[in-house]
Amino acid sequence: QEEERTRVARELHDDLTQRLAAVAIVAGRLQNLTSADAQQWREGLDNIKQKMASLSTDVHVLSRRLHPSSLDDLG
């Protein structure tokens, strides 16, 4: 169990945290745009949407791997 916890902690830190930081960077760039930069806004928001969808999927997969096996047995 300790090895699994270490692996999960590493995955959370090395992967998910860095990807969340990337979303924050894109959001920060959007914050500095003027209202005249509508195309860049759309591209930035699309980028954030894609990154968040990917993160959501990966968090779901990770949580499924962590849930107790008794939940599978009980349905």
Side-chain angles (χ1 to χ4, degrees), residues 6-7 11 15 20 22 32-33 39-44 50-51 53 58 61 64 66 70 72:
T6 300
R7 186 191 61 73
E11 189 172 338
D15 182 38
L20 285 168
N32 293 327
L33 293 176
Q39 181 61 30
Q40 288 180 335
W41 264 92
R42 281 191 294 277
E43 291 170 2
Q50 290 174 7
K51 289 180 186 303
D58 291 346
V61 168
R64 293 283 298 164
L66 293 174
S70 61
D72 287 332

Side-chain angles (χ1 to χ4, degrees), residues 10-43:
R10 190 177 314 113
E11 189 172 338
L12 287 170
H13 178 268
D14 294 347
D15 182 38
L16 298 178
T17 304
Q18 290 180 10
R19 290 166 58 195
L20 285 168
V23 170
I25 290 169
V26 173
R29 288 180 184 158
L30 288 178
Q31 189 175 22
N32 293 327
L33 293 176
T34 65
S35 59
D37 299 321
Q39 181 61 30
Q40 288 180 335
W41 264 92
R42 281 191 294 277
E43 291 170 2

